Amino acid sequence: MDNPRPEKVAVVDEVRERLAAAEGALLTEYRGLTVAELARLRQALSAVGGDYKVYKNTLVRLAVAGGPQEGLAELLTGPTAIAFVHGDVSAVAKALRDFARSTPNLVLKGGMVGSGALSAQDVTALADLPPRDVLLAQVAGALAAPLRQLAGLFEALPRNLAYGLAALVEQGGGPAPADEAPADEAPADEAPADEAPADEAPADEAPAD
């Protein structure tokens, strides 16, 4: 089999580098869009940190093969363009969603954020999220609350983003309440944890996402 032509190798390298540098990549089908509509879409995406590019599917498949974005390969059917995200992923998703509402020839296909795959429904859910600074403020405010109180927020997020935010919360932790004794010291008026008072049952049984 002949080696790929240098220009094809250059495109494959370009796609790979763009994916590695982007916060995410959202894929669309653009069949039927006019040149003027594509220009308007590129302008709308550029305003929110999106870079809309059209590549041959075969070259994109080569670029993602064996890499963290390999999941994009299954979306590469029909005329496909990639919106590379440099900034707020939800803002780019919203721009795509809004444009698709007014121009039905643009079809959301899915994408990836990091190594997490997104369906078309996930992209729509992203579009419904508040801006990044508002979302981060909501998460920061919830760090002091029990984790169960975050369930309502997580239910509104695509699965992979919810996992990421959960990891962020767990890593953030929080200060221990001031009225609690340190874990390695037992209060003076209580029996040590390894000794059960004579009139109480042993603590080897626990009370009955």
mmCIF file of all heavy atoms in Angstrom, residues 76-103:
data_model
loop_
_atom_site.group_PDB
_atom_site.id
_atom_site.type_symbol
_atom_site.label_atom_id
_atom_site.label_comp_id
_atom_site.label_asym_id
_atom_site.label_seq_id
_atom_site.Cartn_x
_atom_site.Cartn_y
_atom_site.Cartn_z
ATOM 1 N N LEU A 76 -18.506 9.914 12.513
ATOM 2 C CA LEU A 76 -18.003 10.396 11.232
ATOM 3 C C LEU A 76 -18.722 9.728 10.069
ATOM 4 O O LEU A 76 -18.162 8.924 9.320
ATOM 5 C CB LEU A 76 -16.490 10.170 11.148
ATOM 6 C CG LEU A 76 -15.679 10.928 12.199
ATOM 7 C CD1 LEU A 76 -14.224 10.475 12.182
ATOM 8 C CD2 LEU A 76 -15.776 12.428 11.962
ATOM 9 N N THR A 77 -19.985 10.053 9.905
ATOM 10 C CA THR A 77 -20.785 9.584 8.776
ATOM 11 C C THR A 77 -21.454 10.788 8.139
ATOM 12 O O THR A 77 -21.930 11.690 8.850
ATOM 13 C CB THR A 77 -21.866 8.586 9.223
ATOM 14 O OG1 THR A 77 -22.705 9.207 10.206
ATOM 15 C CG2 THR A 77 -21.229 7.340 9.826
ATOM 16 N N GLY A 78 -21.472 10.817 6.819
ATOM 17 C CA GLY A 78 -22.042 11.972 6.143
ATOM 18 C C GLY A 78 -21.114 13.174 6.248
ATOM 19 O O GLY A 78 -20.052 13.108 6.873
ATOM 20 N N PRO A 79 -21.488 14.299 5.630
ATOM 21 C CA PRO A 79 -20.638 15.502 5.670
ATOM 22 C C PRO A 79 -20.570 16.056 7.091
ATOM 23 O O PRO A 79 -21.564 16.525 7.633
ATOM 24 C CB PRO A 79 -21.349 16.471 4.723
ATOM 25 C CG PRO A 79 -22.759 15.988 4.644
ATOM 26 C CD PRO A 79 -22.713 14.504 4.834
ATOM 27 N N THR A 80 -19.395 15.972 7.689
ATOM 28 C CA THR A 80 -19.230 16.303 9.113
ATOM 29 C C THR A 80 -18.242 17.443 9.293
ATOM 30 O O THR A 80 -17.194 17.481 8.641
ATOM 31 C CB THR A 80 -18.734 15.076 9.889
ATOM 32 O OG1 THR A 80 -19.646 13.998 9.696
ATOM 33 C CG2 THR A 80 -18.628 15.370 11.383
ATOM 34 N N ALA A 81 -18.589 18.370 10.175
ATOM 35 C CA ALA A 81 -17.687 19.459 10.549
ATOM 36 C C ALA A 81 -17.482 19.409 12.057
ATOM 37 O O ALA A 81 -18.346 18.955 12.803
ATOM 38 C CB ALA A 81 -18.256 20.805 10.134
ATOM 39 N N ILE A 82 -16.325 19.896 12.489
ATOM 40 C CA ILE A 82 -15.959 19.859 13.899
ATOM 41 C C ILE A 82 -15.882 21.278 14.443
ATOM 42 O O ILE A 82 -15.214 22.141 13.859
ATOM 43 C CB ILE A 82 -14.603 19.168 14.112
ATOM 44 C CG1 ILE A 82 -14.608 17.759 13.512
ATOM 45 C CG2 ILE A 82 -14.251 19.100 15.595
ATOM 46 C CD1 ILE A 82 -13.250 17.076 13.563
ATOM 47 N N ALA A 83 -16.563 21.502 15.565
ATOM 48 C CA ALA A 83 -16.418 22.763 16.295
ATOM 49 C C ALA A 83 -15.430 22.524 17.434
ATOM 50 O O ALA A 83 -15.765 21.881 18.433
ATOM 51 C CB ALA A 83 -17.759 23.241 16.830
ATOM 52 N N PHE A 84 -14.202 22.996 17.267
ATOM 53 C CA PHE A 84 -13.194 22.889 18.316
ATOM 54 C C PHE A 84 -13.475 23.974 19.356
ATOM 55 O O PHE A 84 -13.657 25.139 19.004
ATOM 56 C CB PHE A 84 -11.793 23.061 17.749
ATOM 57 C CG PHE A 84 -11.409 22.018 16.732
ATOM 58 C CD1 PHE A 84 -11.555 22.265 15.370
ATOM 59 C CD2 PHE A 84 -10.908 20.790 17.127
ATOM 60 C CE1 PHE A 84 -11.199 21.317 14.430
ATOM 61 C CE2 PHE A 84 -10.546 19.825 16.195
ATOM 62 C CZ PHE A 84 -10.698 20.089 14.839
ATOM 63 N N VAL A 85 -13.498 23.584 20.624
ATOM 64 C CA VAL A 85 -13.875 24.508 21.690
ATOM 65 C C VAL A 85 -12.630 25.005 22.417
ATOM 66 O O VAL A 85 -11.843 24.213 22.922
ATOM 67 C CB VAL A 85 -14.830 23.831 22.700
ATOM 68 C CG1 VAL A 85 -15.241 24.822 23.779
ATOM 69 C CG2 VAL A 85 -16.048 23.278 21.980
ATOM 70 N N HIS A 86 -12.496 26.318 22.476
ATOM 71 C CA HIS A 86 -11.404 26.942 23.230
ATOM 72 C C HIS A 86 -12.043 27.895 24.234
ATOM 73 O O HIS A 86 -12.148 29.102 23.992
ATOM 74 C CB HIS A 86 -10.448 27.686 22.289
ATOM 75 C CG HIS A 86 -9.851 26.809 21.233
ATOM 76 N ND1 HIS A 86 -8.820 25.924 21.489
ATOM 77 C CD2 HIS A 86 -10.163 26.650 19.929
ATOM 78 C CE1 HIS A 86 -8.507 25.269 20.381
ATOM 79 N NE2 HIS A 86 -9.306 25.684 19.421
ATOM 80 N N GLY A 87 -12.495 27.345 25.346
ATOM 81 C CA GLY A 87 -13.183 28.152 26.343
ATOM 82 C C GLY A 87 -14.349 27.389 26.933
ATOM 83 O O GLY A 87 -14.202 26.244 27.353
ATOM 84 N N ASP A 88 -15.514 28.020 26.936
ATOM 85 C CA ASP A 88 -16.706 27.473 27.574
ATOM 86 C C ASP A 88 -17.429 26.516 26.626
ATOM 87 O O ASP A 88 -18.001 26.935 25.615
ATOM 88 C CB ASP A 88 -17.632 28.626 27.969
ATOM 89 C CG ASP A 88 -18.773 28.180 28.871
ATOM 90 O OD1 ASP A 88 -19.068 26.978 28.911
ATOM 91 O OD2 ASP A 88 -19.365 29.042 29.539
ATOM 92 N N VAL A 89 -17.402 25.219 26.947
ATOM 93 C CA VAL A 89 -18.029 24.216 26.083
ATOM 94 C C VAL A 89 -19.530 24.455 25.983
ATOM 95 O O VAL A 89 -20.122 24.327 24.908
ATOM 96 C CB VAL A 89 -17.751 22.795 26.618
ATOM 97 C CG1 VAL A 89 -18.420 21.753 25.728
ATOM 98 C CG2 VAL A 89 -16.252 22.536 26.685
ATOM 99 N N SER A 90 -20.164 24.831 27.082
ATOM 100 C CA SER A 90 -21.610 25.037 27.051
ATOM 101 C C SER A 90 -21.988 26.212 26.173
ATOM 102 O O SER A 90 -23.048 26.207 25.527
ATOM 103 C CB SER A 90 -22.152 25.235 28.474
ATOM 104 O OG SER A 90 -21.646 26.414 29.056
ATOM 105 N N ALA A 91 -21.140 27.247 26.100
ATOM 106 C CA ALA A 91 -21.427 28.396 25.249
ATOM 107 C C ALA A 91 -21.383 28.008 23.772
ATOM 108 O O ALA A 91 -22.224 28.447 22.970
ATOM 109 C CB ALA A 91 -20.432 29.525 25.530
ATOM 110 N N VAL A 92 -20.411 27.172 23.404
ATOM 111 C CA VAL A 92 -20.325 26.713 22.012
ATOM 112 C C VAL A 92 -21.498 25.792 21.691
ATOM 113 O O VAL A 92 -22.099 25.875 20.607
ATOM 114 C CB VAL A 92 -18.980 26.001 21.759
ATOM 115 C CG1 VAL A 92 -18.930 25.408 20.355
ATOM 116 C CG2 VAL A 92 -17.829 26.980 21.958
ATOM 117 N N ALA A 93 -21.855 24.916 22.637
ATOM 118 C CA ALA A 93 -23.010 24.036 22.431
ATOM 119 C C ALA A 93 -24.282 24.851 22.248
ATOM 120 O O ALA A 93 -25.130 24.537 21.398
ATOM 121 C CB ALA A 93 -23.159 23.081 23.619
ATOM 122 N N LYS A 94 -24.436 25.928 23.007
ATOM 123 C CA LYS A 94 -25.622 26.777 22.897
ATOM 124 C C LYS A 94 -25.666 27.465 21.533
ATOM 125 O O LYS A 94 -26.734 27.561 20.915
ATOM 126 C CB LYS A 94 -25.629 27.819 24.016
ATOM 127 C CG LYS A 94 -26.883 28.694 24.045
ATOM 128 C CD LYS A 94 -26.851 29.659 25.228
ATOM 129 C CE LYS A 94 -28.177 30.412 25.342
ATOM 130 N NZ LYS A 94 -28.453 31.222 24.140
ATOM 131 N N ALA A 95 -24.516 27.948 21.061
ATOM 132 C CA ALA A 95 -24.474 28.600 19.755
ATOM 133 C C ALA A 95 -24.868 27.627 18.648
ATOM 134 O O ALA A 95 -25.615 27.985 17.727
ATOM 135 C CB ALA A 95 -23.080 29.179 19.506
ATOM 136 N N LEU A 96 -24.390 26.384 18.739
ATOM 137 C CA LEU A 96 -24.758 25.369 17.745
ATOM 138 C C LEU A 96 -26.242 25.043 17.839
ATOM 139 O O LEU A 96 -26.937 24.950 16.822
ATOM 140 C CB LEU A 96 -23.921 24.103 17.956
ATOM 141 C CG LEU A 96 -22.456 24.164 17.533
ATOM 142 C CD1 LEU A 96 -21.727 22.909 18.002
ATOM 143 C CD2 LEU A 96 -22.336 24.307 16.016
ATOM 144 N N ARG A 97 -26.744 24.858 19.062
ATOM 145 C CA ARG A 97 -28.142 24.513 19.260
ATOM 146 C C ARG A 97 -29.060 25.610 18.721
ATOM 147 O O ARG A 97 -30.041 25.342 18.027
ATOM 148 C CB ARG A 97 -28.388 24.282 20.749
ATOM 149 C CG ARG A 97 -29.751 23.660 21.138
ATOM 150 C CD ARG A 97 -30.836 24.703 21.349
ATOM 151 N NE ARG A 97 -30.443 25.808 22.194
ATOM 152 C CZ ARG A 97 -30.465 25.798 23.533
ATOM 153 N NH1 ARG A 97 -30.868 24.738 24.188
ATOM 154 N NH2 ARG A 97 -30.098 26.895 24.201
ATOM 155 N N ASP A 98 -28.725 26.867 19.031
ATOM 156 C CA ASP A 98 -29.560 27.982 18.587
ATOM 157 C C ASP A 98 -29.543 28.116 17.071
ATOM 158 O O ASP A 98 -30.570 28.406 16.441
ATOM 159 C CB ASP A 98 -29.083 29.280 19.239
ATOM 160 C CG ASP A 98 -29.353 29.317 20.742
ATOM 161 O OD1 ASP A 98 -30.092 28.428 21.229
ATOM 162 O OD2 ASP A 98 -28.817 30.217 21.412
ATOM 163 N N PHE A 99 -28.366 27.912 16.465
ATOM 164 C CA PHE A 99 -28.275 28.005 15.006
ATOM 165 C C PHE A 99 -29.074 26.887 14.358
ATOM 166 O O PHE A 99 -29.746 27.089 13.340
ATOM 167 C CB PHE A 99 -26.813 27.942 14.561
ATOM 168 C CG PHE A 99 -26.601 28.356 13.129
ATOM 169 C CD1 PHE A 99 -26.306 29.675 12.816
ATOM 170 C CD2 PHE A 99 -26.686 27.434 12.095
ATOM 171 C CE1 PHE A 99 -26.108 30.068 11.489
ATOM 172 C CE2 PHE A 99 -26.496 27.815 10.774
ATOM 173 C CZ PHE A 99 -26.203 29.137 10.474
ATOM 174 N N ALA A 100 -28.997 25.684 14.935
ATOM 175 C CA ALA A 100 -29.734 24.543 14.374
ATOM 176 C C ALA A 100 -31.239 24.763 14.453
ATOM 177 O O ALA A 100 -31.992 24.285 13.591
ATOM 178 C CB ALA A 100 -29.342 23.258 15.113
ATOM 179 N N ARG A 101 -31.712 25.482 15.471
ATOM 180 C CA ARG A 101 -33.140 25.754 15.584
ATOM 181 C C ARG A 101 -33.630 26.630 14.442
ATOM 182 O O ARG A 101 -34.747 26.458 13.942
ATOM 183 C CB ARG A 101 -33.436 26.435 16.925
ATOM 184 C CG ARG A 101 -33.405 25.486 18.117
ATOM 185 C CD ARG A 101 -33.638 26.253 19.410
ATOM 186 N NE ARG A 101 -33.777 25.334 20.554
ATOM 187 C CZ ARG A 101 -33.876 25.731 21.805
ATOM 188 N NH1 ARG A 101 -33.847 27.037 22.096
ATOM 189 N NH2 ARG A 101 -34.001 24.845 22.789
ATOM 190 N N SER A 102 -32.809 27.578 14.016
ATOM 191 C CA SER A 102 -33.211 28.469 12.935
ATOM 192 C C SER A 102 -32.814 27.947 11.553
ATOM 193 O O SER A 102 -33.342 28.391 10.540
ATOM 194 C CB SER A 102 -32.596 29.861 13.146
ATOM 195 O OG SER A 102 -31.176 29.797 13.126
ATOM 196 N N THR A 103 -31.882 26.993 11.538
ATOM 197 C CA THR A 103 -31.395 26.444 10.267
ATOM 198 C C THR A 103 -31.375 24.920 10.393
ATOM 199 O O THR A 103 -30.355 24.327 10.767
ATOM 200 C CB THR A 103 -29.982 26.971 9.949
ATOM 201 O OG1 THR A 103 -29.947 28.386 10.123
ATOM 202 C CG2 THR A 103 -29.580 26.620 8.520
#
